Amino acid sequence: MRIKNRLSPYPILDNYGDDYVDSSFTVDYDVMSQFTEVYGELKFNLQNEDIEKLIANGSAEFVAHIECPSTCYRTVVSSSENEMQFRMDCNVLSKVIEIRTFIVLKKDVDNYHSIKFNPDYDGETFNLKAHQIIAIGTAKNFDIEKDDKDLDSLPSIISIVKVTEKKKGAISVNTDGDYKIIVGLDEEIFGLYARLGKTTFKTTCFSVVLLPALLIIIQRMHEFRNDEEFSSRHWFKVINKILEDNKVYLDDITVVDDSLLNKCQLIFGNPILRCFKELEEVSERL
């Protein structure tokens, strides 16, 4: 969404016009990509008491319009607070996202006047309608750092095999090898995985097997991160690089809280939600 300098029938606070004096509306951005998601935090800096009053009494709100021109994805996030957070799936984004910020009316406002109007508007009032923009903030474009090669490297270091030993249980994880991790499934489960994984249940099968396996793998990586022999294994280096490239470090992961589970879900892009969506799509066709 490109904002152009154009005439308006009422005053708008922005950084390229002069409808207001001694007033400003700027935005501080903190946007980053991590695994399969983009996170953002916006802090709004508003210097105008009359517009602040409109937000305080519920007549206006901060709005961020986020758009990816390459994929035509767009969304709108709003808040009455001076800080806002958002997150988006990288799968709907490509190359760059454009963020444009506004203050928008939530309801009609009659006889609006600001003591900070340009002297040209001295004595004038305006009847404004809901959804009209009354301020335009700092605009930013952000490049999307999405490296699918990171996640694509996981299958090269993880093999899923059939295990006939009953004592191994339904699923087992062997991290003793130098090059590959072996995830073992008992005979019946492996048969179901091999068959259903080629159908519409591909995401569900993938997540049901690899999410618990990765929990075990990263837990062991955290526990033996200072063991020279363990940390020198090829698969360890590959996974650790994926984590560190996304600003996740083994020292910060612990089994005491949910940090381990959260990081594993981030790696796979919220697999639980995607599983349920896949199942919902199948159920709707029944």
Side-chain angles (χ1 to χ4, degrees):
M1 183 179 185
R2 309 291 171 84
I3 305 300
K4 298 179 180 180
N5 189 357
R6 60 180 65 182
L7 295 176
S8 169
Y10 60 90
I12 295 179
L13 173 61
D14 53 40
N15 61 3
Y16 48 79
D18 60 358
D19 289 346
Y20 287 81
V21 296
D22 300 326
S23 301
S24 63
F25 176 40
T26 61
V27 185
D28 297 325
Y29 291 87
D30 184 10
V31 178
M32 64 173 289
S33 57
Q34 187 179 67
F35 296 114
T36 58
E37 292 186 309
V38 172
Y39 299 88
E41 182 171 323
L42 280 58
K43 183 177 180 181
F44 302 104
N45 308 301
L46 173 62
Q47 299 295 325
N48 183 279
E49 291 185 4
D50 296 298
I51 298 179
E52 288 176 355
K53 290 177 182 177
L54 291 177
I55 296 173
N57 67 27
S59 296
E61 63 184 350
F62 297 107
V63 171
H65 180 279
I66 307 169
E67 180 175 342
C68 177
S70 298
T71 64
C72 296
Y73 173 83
R74 62 193 59 170
T75 187
V76 174
V77 186
S78 59
S79 173
S80 58
E81 304 295 328
N82 63 354
E83 291 188 358
M84 171 192 296
Q85 294 81 37
F86 69 86
R87 68 168 56 189
M88 295 179 293
D89 190 337
C90 280
N91 291 323
V92 299
L93 306 174
S94 178
K95 297 180 182 178
V96 66
I97 58 172
E98 300 175 349
I99 305 180
R100 304 296 181 258
T101 53
F102 312 92
I103 298 175
V104 179
L105 290 177
K106 297 172 64 178
K107 59 181 70 173
D108 295 350
V109 176
D110 294 329
N111 301 315
Y112 173 68
H113 178 78
S114 173
I115 60 173
K116 297 296 185 178
F117 276 165
N118 185 295
D120 290 344
Y121 296 109
D122 187 35
E124 292 192 46
T125 61
F126 297 86
N127 294 326
L128 305 178
K129 299 295 184 181
H131 310 303
Q132 285 187 310
I133 295 171
I134 58 173
I136 300 174
T138 313
K140 284 281 188 177
N141 293 348
F142 291 93
D143 294 329
I144 301 301
E145 298 177 3
K146 182 173 63 171
D147 190 357
D148 294 331
K149 294 179 181 178
D150 279 350
L151 296 180
D152 288 345
S153 63
L154 281 178
S156 70
I157 59 167
I158 299 177
S159 292
I160 299 174
V161 302
K162 177 172 61 178
V163 176
T164 56
E165 297 178 53
K166 296 295 183 182
K167 64 180 181 179
K168 291 284 188 179
I171 182 171
S172 59
V173 179
N174 185 332
T175 53
D176 292 338
D178 175 69
Y179 195 80
K180 280 199 171 188
I181 297 165
I182 306 300
V183 177
L185 303 177
D186 75 19
E187 195 167 358
E188 181 180 7
I189 294 176
F190 182 82
L192 291 169
Y193 170 81
R195 187 169 69 255
L196 294 175
K198 298 176 182 179
T199 67
T200 52
F201 294 104
K202 180 178 179 180
T203 297
T204 300
C205 292
F206 178 82
S207 300
V208 164
V209 173
L210 284 189
L211 181 58
L214 197 62
L215 278 167
I216 296 171
I217 292 165
I218 296 182
Q219 180 179 349
R220 292 177 184 172
M221 290 177 66
H222 169 76
E223 183 177 354
F224 298 107
R225 63 191 183 280
N226 296 320
D227 185 297
E228 185 176 348
E229 191 276 330
F230 192 86
S231 61
S232 66
R233 295 171 185 173
H234 171 73
W235 62 261
F236 184 104
K237 293 177 180 179
V238 170
I239 296 177
N240 195 46
K241 183 179 184 302
I242 294 174
L243 295 174
E244 291 187 349
D245 284 349
N246 288 277
K247 299 180 176 59
V248 175
Y249 305 97
L250 290 174
D251 287 340
D252 300 330
I253 294 175
T254 172
V255 296
V256 176
D257 55 29
D258 292 336
S259 62
L260 175 58
L261 179 61
N262 289 338
K263 299 311 178 188
C264 288
Q265 291 184 87
L266 283 174
I267 290 174
F268 289 133
N270 201 347
I272 296 176
L273 175 61
R274 291 194 292 122
C275 284
F276 277 111
K277 284 188 174 181
E278 186 174 75
L279 293 173
E280 182 181 44
E281 290 175 2
V282 173
S283 67
E284 289 175 348
R285 294 196 295 266
L286 296 178

